[in-house]
Amino acid sequence: MYLKNYNLDELKSWCVEQGVEQYRAAQILNAVYTNNLGDFTQIETLPKAFREKLIKTFEMFSIKISKVRKSVDGSVKFLFELHDGKHIEAVYMPWYDDDFDTMERITLCISSMAGCPVECAFCATGTLGLLRNLDSAEIIDQILLVQKELGCEITNIVFMGMGEPLLNYKNVVKSLEIMTAEWGLNLSRRKITLSTVGITNRIKQLHKEIRPVKLALSLHATTDETRGKIIPLAKNLKLSELLSAVEEYYRETKMPVTYEYIPFLGFNDTPADARRLAKILKRVPSRVNIIPFNDISFAMPSGFGKELKPTPKNLILEFGDIIRQNGGRVTIRDTFGQDIEAACGQLALS
Ligand code: SF4
């Protein structure tokens, strides 16, 4: 059993079942999340017999580090092995101020699934299909193991690794509880971003949870027809309904929304696309992150994926300018880790 699948109330109940005082649960979670202790023998505030009970009952970590690749740009890609031999990835990304003097934040991009059932045409992970959902311990341990390995404190989390988080809803919501609770990692929910291709009914549900987080929508196209070509699931998700759900999310949470957009040459990067995108951006306080396409030919994509070509940098800049001229806010992202198999799923596939 993995301890990090338990929240405070569940662990209190377990303690009572063992004939131990409830307050021991808070001591255990404090040792795990605040002190990031690596094994139960180190929790000296607990009686020895109870520590032995914990060792017999729970495993401290649900995943282990299998590979670490460090990039010249400071990012670090981690490959983790799950208990059943499957693999997932996480990427550590340090962000500096303009002078490169001060590190402003450390973001960890984490996975919510091994593989992914959505099978987007531009994504290496999608070529794996769904291997399985991660439980909340496997999601949380990505953060704790990276902190331990690099001796750092992660300040921001993005669910942008392998998997569609809203299709693993229950476990992802529980992991959000652990990330944001005072007894857990105690991160601000404004420092956590959940990136989704847009599972409309789940977006409508997420803002009703106790701790909704920032939402990023992988838009990548501005019409149902083009979106359906690169995100097969989008054929059943009308863009108009999805954008209404995003508006509702903003109304209820007051947190600005991020859109993600990968331009593909001659497919979704025309001036008309830029103008439609600007119109979408103006519906709620938001910005679009334009992300250059990472080549995924190593994954031997089939169907439409084979035809997708990256839009060159100069055309990306022009595309961004048209969005700005039409009132949209734009960030053009540098991709991290070009020298360390940067594409999502690339390390797990290799
Ligand atoms: S982009 Fe995200 S949702 Fe699409 S296949 Fe890849 S991991 Fe899944």
Side-chain angles (χ1 to χ4, degrees):
M1 288 207 293
Y2 298 125
L3 184 86
K4 290 158 208 151
N5 281 329
Y6 285 65
N7 64 20
L8 179 60
D9 287 341
E10 289 163 341
L11 198 58
K12 277 183 183 170
S13 303
W14 181 82
C15 286
V16 171
E17 279 165 27
Q18 309 308 309
V20 171
E21 306 88 334
Q22 284 194 16
Y23 73 87
R24 296 291 184 193
Q27 286 181 316
I28 298 167
L29 296 180
N30 184 56
V32 168
Y33 294 119
T34 308
N35 301 330
N36 204 2
L37 294 185
D39 74 77
F40 296 112
T41 56
Q42 295 174 308
I43 314 179
E44 289 173 357
T45 47
L46 301 177
K48 190 158 177 276
F50 186 48
R51 276 185 262 164
E52 277 160 16
K53 178 82 194 169
L54 286 172
I55 292 166
K56 280 195 193 129
T57 310
F58 296 112
E59 289 188 56
M60 184 60 101
F61 290 106
S62 57
I63 59 176
K64 61 181 183 199
I65 295 174
S66 169
K67 260 188 204 164
V68 180
R69 293 271 173 88
K70 294 189 179 180
S71 167
V72 288
D73 64 20
S75 64
V76 185
K77 192 156 190 175
F78 287 83
L79 183 72
F80 296 103
E81 186 178 338
L82 310 181
H83 67 83
D84 54 6
K86 296 179 173 60
H87 289 89
I88 55 164
E89 299 174 348
V91 186
Y92 161 98
M93 293 173 285
W95 298 85
Y96 292 87
D97 65 359
D98 288 345
D99 301 327
F100 274 87
D101 286 335
T102 314
M103 198 188 285
E104 291 180 330
R105 61 186 193 276
I106 298 175
T107 300
L108 189 70
C109 171
I110 59 173
S111 296
S112 57
M113 294 174 167
C116 182
V118 181
E119 301 184 5
C120 298
F122 49 85
C123 175
T125 300
T127 63
L128 292 166
L130 175 64
L131 304 179
R132 73 168 170 83
N133 285 337
L134 302 189
D135 61 27
S136 49
E138 291 166 325
I139 296 170
I140 292 293
D141 273 335
Q142 296 170 58
I143 306 167
L144 291 177
L145 283 174
V146 168
Q147 291 191 150
K148 210 170 235 329
E149 176 74 11
L150 300 181
C152 66
E153 195 173 324
I154 304 293
T155 58
N156 295 62
I157 302 288
V158 291
F159 279 85
M160 218 179 276
M162 301 171 81
E164 164 50 59
L166 293 185
L167 291 179
N168 182 14
Y169 190 80
K170 196 166 130 272
N171 293 337
V172 166
V173 165
K174 189 161 194 184
S175 75
L176 293 177
E177 180 190 2
I178 297 169
M179 285 176 207
T180 53
E182 277 180 30
W183 51 260
L185 289 168
N186 203 13
L187 285 165
S188 159
R189 60 194 180 89
R190 291 181 179 273
K191 296 195 169 179
I192 302 171
T193 301
L194 186 146
S195 170
T196 173
V197 293
I199 314 300
T200 310
N201 58 342
R202 293 301 195 189
I203 292 174
K204 286 168 172 254
Q205 195 177 347
L206 187 66
H207 68 70
K208 295 181 189 138
E209 301 291 345
I210 302 170
R211 297 184 181 94
V213 293
K214 284 170 85 173
L215 189 70
L217 180 66
S218 294
L219 191 63
H220 306 314
T222 52
T223 65
D224 283 322
E225 198 196 341
T226 42
R227 217 166 170 259
K229 281 185 181 163
I230 50 174
I231 306 174
L233 204 77
K235 288 182 189 135
N236 306 320
L237 297 165
K238 284 193 90 174
L239 198 49
S240 56
E241 288 169 17
L242 179 54
L243 295 175
S244 297
V246 170
E247 275 180 6
E248 183 181 313
Y249 197 88
Y250 173 75
R251 257 198 325 273
E252 297 298 324
T253 65
K254 297 286 176 285
M255 285 194 278
V257 173
T258 303
Y259 294 94
E260 288 143 8
Y261 200 96
I262 305 177
F264 302 106
L265 187 60
F267 173 70
N268 62 353
D269 62 353
T270 65
D273 286 305
R275 284 191 291 273
R276 276 193 296 268
L277 183 49
K279 207 167 163 192
I280 290 172
L281 290 173
K282 287 190 282 186
R283 291 175 67 147
V284 294
S286 65
R287 69 164 55 243
V288 61
N289 273 336
I290 299 186
I291 308 166
F293 179 41
N294 267 319
D295 179 27
I296 61 156
S297 54
F298 62 88
M300 292 186 283
S302 56
F304 202 71
K306 282 189 292 198
E307 296 171 32
L308 296 172
K309 301 273 178 290
T311 299
K313 186 83 187 263
N314 62 323
L315 295 184
I316 290 182
L317 294 174
E318 284 175 21
F319 187 73
D321 285 343
I322 299 173
I323 299 168
R324 285 191 197 95
Q325 285 153 15
N326 285 274
R329 295 177 70 202
V330 183
T331 306
I332 297 177
R333 276 236 308 256
D334 282 333
T335 47
F336 268 108
Q338 286 296 308
D339 53 334
I340 53 163
E341 301 178 284
C344 170
Q346 190 164 1
L347 203 53
L349 264 162
S350 70

